[in-house]
Amino acid sequence: MARAKRVVVIDHRFLIRAGLENLMSELREVELVKTFEGNETRLSEKVLAKKPDLVIVNPHATSQGFVNLLNNIDSETFVIGLVSNDADVSIISHFRQTIFQNSNKSELQKVFRKVLGTTGENHKKNGILSDREITVLKYVVKGYTNRQIADELFLSIHTIMTHRKNIIRKLGINTVSGLTVYALMNKLVIIPKQ
Amino acid sequence: MLIEKEMLMAEVVYHDHNLIPIIGRFGIRMGYDDESIEELCNKHRVNIDFFLTILNVFHDSEYFPQKQMQMFPVGMLVSYLKKAHKDYLEDEIPEIKNLIGSMISECHIDKSTYLLFLNFFDEYKLELENHIYREETKVYPYVVALEKALQTGKADEATMQQMNTYPIAEYEREHENVEEKLNDLKNLMIKYLPTVDDDRLCFRILRELFALEKELNEHARIEDLILVPKVMAMEIAIKNREK
Ligand SMILES: [Fe+2]
Ligand SMILES: [Fe+2]
């Protein structure tokens, strides 16, 4: 299953945090994993521990300076600055994207959709297996090991493992018994007569 | 919210009603009146630190119990965990199974898919039972024996042997499998099970599965965060003494 995009908010004002939380809850496949006030000890560590796709930070909320925080965040994570309308360029220039405190709802939604739609590499449609994946799934359900499947299909073990990972990701089902139920429900394999 | 002993029990429950069954496991039943946690614990002879630790772990998934809060005897923890097991096996699991049964009997078209689902549930149930059985027959007695060995100053041979062959760190790894199956059950139901006439029934099953999942996760956290470190410390203490 494609995991929901994870969002972290850092702002010292409760109402702002609550408002953003509300907005996020209206977006599909987006999850606000944590809000911070900005004065937490070891803030960057705590933020990074959440493995966010997006961090929305008010530069004035962080006590040890947001630059420090930005330096610790890797480039895969998108950072949006939440700034006031008269914010100085020296602050704005730190961010690829900014939102303003008086932005209206549809502006904010547009920014979030754009940003969250472009971060992360997973654009594939879920739930639909390719022919190859279905073949691999059938063998998995029959109890074949990766090695055996690789031999049957003249593929490397590595390729089989990739297929398996994709199957699990697309279906959101992890165990062999769960996959078996799925395969039987969808008549990919036939129930043996009892 | 951090739950503290001065709080009124009723107030805590208003905040998080999921705690009611957990409070009940300590013998404190509803009808809390205006009594504080401290008063109720004293009345029911419940160790307050222990009670607060368990409640906080359940209430806040980010709560991490402090060292000084872990001074209670390990036997207390074990008897709580056993009570929880009993609830899972005797109430919650059979209830879900019943609901799935009703879903199947109300289905008038092709029952085979639902029977598969039931089968998978049985498989999950068996795995959970096995896990719990292993805990109650292997792990917990060992834990209690360790504590006794520390108090009396001598460890018997069986305890020493288990310490060397199956230390507590091994056991810690077993929780994941059970969680994965439950997650698959939920997903199959949400994404792939054909719709039945009675939506409410499906909804109830799902709600029970979510509730069970949450309970079991917190239960495993108690075992992993409180029981395991405590036992590891005892293992080290005994090893050092034997030298
Ligand atoms: Fe347990
Ligand atoms: Fe367990």
Side-chain angles (χ1 to χ4, degrees), chain A residues 103-146:
Chain A
S103 302
N104 65 37
K105 186 173 174 181
S106 66
E107 281 165 10
L108 291 171
Q109 278 176 330
K110 222 162 106 189
V111 170
F112 294 146
R113 283 216 187 88
K114 189 184 87 190
V115 166
L116 289 167
T118 50
T119 52
E121 68 279 50
N122 174 20
H123 290 296
K124 286 182 196 141
K125 178 104 179 68
N126 299 303
I128 297 165
L129 299 182
S130 70
D131 291 346
R132 216 344 107 65
E133 284 160 358
I134 290 176
T135 312
V136 171
L137 175 62
K138 286 179 185 170
Y139 282 113
V140 171
V141 167
K142 285 181 193 155
Y144 281 57
T145 62
N146 287 344

Side-chain angles (χ1 to χ4, degrees), chain B residues 176-202:
Chain B
E176 256 170 49
N177 298 341
V178 187
E179 283 166 21
E180 274 194 340
K181 272 217 171 74
L182 182 52
N183 195 50
D184 284 1
L185 271 169
K186 275 169 37 204
N187 257 329
L188 279 169
M189 180 136 191
I190 296 173
K191 293 176 76 178
Y192 304 114
L193 207 65
T195 34
V196 289
D197 302 334
D198 191 349
D199 279 345
R200 285 178 51 85
L201 198 52
C202 280

Side-chain angles (χ1 to χ4, degrees), chain A:
Chain A
M1 188 164 68
R3 77 174 170 78
K5 293 278 160 47
R6 305 165 69 86
V7 179
V8 164
V9 169
I10 306 165
D11 194 298
H12 52 295
R13 294 156 303 177
F14 166 74
L15 283 175
I16 298 284
R17 294 198 304 273
L20 284 169
E21 195 158 354
N22 189 326
L23 258 174
M24 291 302 158
S25 71
E26 290 178 13
L27 292 174
R28 283 186 59 195
E29 291 180 348
V30 172
E31 182 193 3
L32 189 121
V33 283
K34 182 90 188 171
T35 63
F36 293 97
E37 293 185 20
N39 56 3
E40 288 84 356
T41 50
R42 296 185 294 136
L43 177 66
S44 3
E45 233 170 274
K46 284 176 185 161
V47 170
L48 295 181
K50 297 287 165 198
K51 301 198 176 61
D53 297 288
L54 169 65
V55 176
I56 302 171
V57 56
N58 176 344
H60 300 294
T62 55
S63 50
Q64 303 108 328
F66 67 101
V67 180
N68 177 29
L69 174 71
L70 293 184
N71 287 338
N72 284 316
I73 292 178
D74 65 76
S75 56
E76 304 250 305
T77 307
F78 204 98
V79 183
I80 294 182
L82 170 54
V83 297
S84 56
N85 308 54
D86 51 3
D88 199 78
V89 188
S90 65
I91 288 180
I92 294 183
S93 62
H94 282 286
F95 300 100
R96 269 198 284 171
Q97 176 81 51
T98 47
I99 51 177
F100 298 102
Q101 305 187 352
N102 63 346
S103 302
N104 65 37
K105 186 173 174 181
S106 66
E107 281 165 10
L108 291 171
Q109 278 176 330
K110 222 162 106 189
V111 170
F112 294 146
R113 283 216 187 88
K114 189 184 87 190
V115 166
L116 289 167
T118 50
T119 52
E121 68 279 50
N122 174 20
H123 290 296
K124 286 182 196 141
K125 178 104 179 68
N126 299 303
I128 297 165
L129 299 182
S130 70
D131 291 346
R132 216 344 107 65
E133 284 160 358
I134 290 176
T135 312
V136 171
L137 175 62
K138 286 179 185 170
Y139 282 113
V140 171
V141 167
K142 285 181 193 155
Y144 281 57
T145 62
N146 287 344
R147 167 91 272 162
Q148 288 167 325
I149 303 174
D151 288 348
E152 287 289 324
L153 300 176
F154 304 103
L155 293 168
S156 71
I157 285 204
H158 180 77
T159 311
I160 302 299
M161 278 161 62
T162 311
H163 284 313
R164 282 186 79 148
K165 259 187 232 148
N166 286 337
I167 294 170
I168 287 172
R169 180 177 55 78
K170 287 184 179 179
L171 299 181
I173 297 174
N174 285 280
T175 64
V176 174
S177 351
L179 290 171
T180 308
V181 177
Y182 173 85
L184 288 166
M185 274 181 186
N186 290 282
K187 313 252 182 317
L188 299 178
V189 288
I190 294 159
I191 307 172
K193 290 218 172 69
Q194 267 130 16

